[in-house]
Amino acid sequence: MLNLSTRIFSFPSRKALMTKCRLVQRYPNRYSSSTPAAFPKGEENDPEKERKLKVLMLEMDVARQEGRRAPDPSKMKEEHWNHLLELKTISSRQKFYAFLWQIEMKKESQKRKREEEKAEIAMKREEKQNAIAKEEHVVYGLNYTSMFLRIYDSTMNLWFNNRLTRAMQFAPKIVIDCSYEKYMSRAEASNCAKQLMFAFADNRMAENPFDLHFCNFNPQEYAAKQLQKHIPRMLDEDFPMNVHEKSYLEVFDHRSLVYLTPHCRQEMTSYNPDDVYIVGAMVDKRNTEPLSLAKAKRQNLRMAKLPLDRYLQWTSGSGKSLTINQMISILLTLKDTSDWEKALEVVPRRKILRQPPESQQYEWIEKRLNS
């Protein structure tokens, strides 16, 4: 068994160790055998985990005493403690401490700004009310007498959800494959959840949305839990979102499926509403293996890639990868307009070259032909 105090959860310096001893002597009740309330629930029955958690708490207190960036242990969530238990090196834990500290400082700053804004709004409202009291006629405008009804956010949500309900009945299908969790790091999985949320939001706000299907969805995985935080009602029966734990092969006809992967040779020339296109839910900043290509070949599916090189001039050093929400936006525009140039306007401008003058276009075309 590894030595807890010197290998897995060792402290960076002798000064930190001395500070730890002083903290234990100064606050004996704080580091007693009882589990603090900030620790994950259910760890009281596991002495080894409880010991590790207390050492982590000591390490954070030492960092705070020395003026380094570390969060308040009492404000940490259960998932943060569980993630800390998986980190084995001091540098990785210090980076995570700094990350949590930045989030904590940002929340405090936002809270302070909200309080200042509330005070300012209350002061302006009081000044307006005093001014209105002096007037003898009716005042029209925002927050005053008005002939227009206010549209609430709940009304807009019902309006957009009605679009999705109609799309479930009549619109073409799009599949988002959520089976790449094991190939992503924790940060990539969190980024993937945000992209899935943006994809759902962009599709919901479109005039003619797709019928999105999230297949191979495991609610116990980290990305799925993060997505449920962004869309709390996604698993409710009355919410217009199709979530399947089973594969798309069990939901749709095998002959209608087309996997969109950038690693294949076949280019997608036009949008076919009879096909069910599959978009892989993966953020591959570090892993560049053709996982979607291998999966499509293994399942004997048709494959296609977007004709990015045909319509775009990429800048040097820019990655040709697109986010999940960008893929959905491109397919939405392509479905409505059948215009690739208009659909690819979603690609960030920083990744492509600006349109050259007409005199230079012919030179660029000639270079491409010669190469």
Side-chain angles (χ1 to χ4, degrees), residues 189-236:
S190 179
N191 191 3
C192 178
K194 290 183 181 179
Q195 293 182 19
L196 291 175
M197 182 265 294
F198 288 137
F200 175 79
D202 293 343
N203 180 67
R204 192 178 75 146
M205 297 186 67
E207 187 174 354
N208 298 309
F210 284 118
D211 182 18
L212 285 183
H213 288 260
F214 293 78
C215 296
N216 297 315
F217 188 87
N218 185 0
Q220 304 303 323
E221 292 182 343
Y222 179 75
K225 292 180 179 179
Q226 293 298 313
L227 182 59
Q228 292 180 54
K229 289 183 179 179
H230 298 311
I231 312 176
R233 294 192 57 208
M234 61 176 294
L235 299 180
D236 294 350

Side-chain angles (χ1 to χ4, degrees), residues 246-263:
K246 52 188 177 181
S247 173
Y248 42 80
L249 298 174
E250 305 176 32
V251 181
F252 301 100
D253 185 8
H254 183 277
R255 294 170 294 180
S256 64
L257 296 174
V258 179
Y259 213 114
L260 297 180
T261 170
H263 303 100

Side-chain angles (χ1 to χ4, degrees), residues 49-74:
K49 270 192 175 181
E50 185 180 352
R51 184 186 174 194
K52 292 179 181 179
L53 288 169
K54 289 182 179 180
V55 174
L56 287 172
M57 193 171 184
L58 283 168
E59 188 177 64
M60 276 186 284
D61 279 342
V62 168
R64 290 168 66 86
Q65 290 285 336
E66 294 181 349
R68 290 185 281 121
R69 297 186 296 177
D72 186 357
S74 62

Side-chain angles (χ1 to χ4, degrees), residues 50 196 239 268 323 348:
E50 185 180 352
L196 291 175
F239 191 74
M268 180 181 174
T323 60

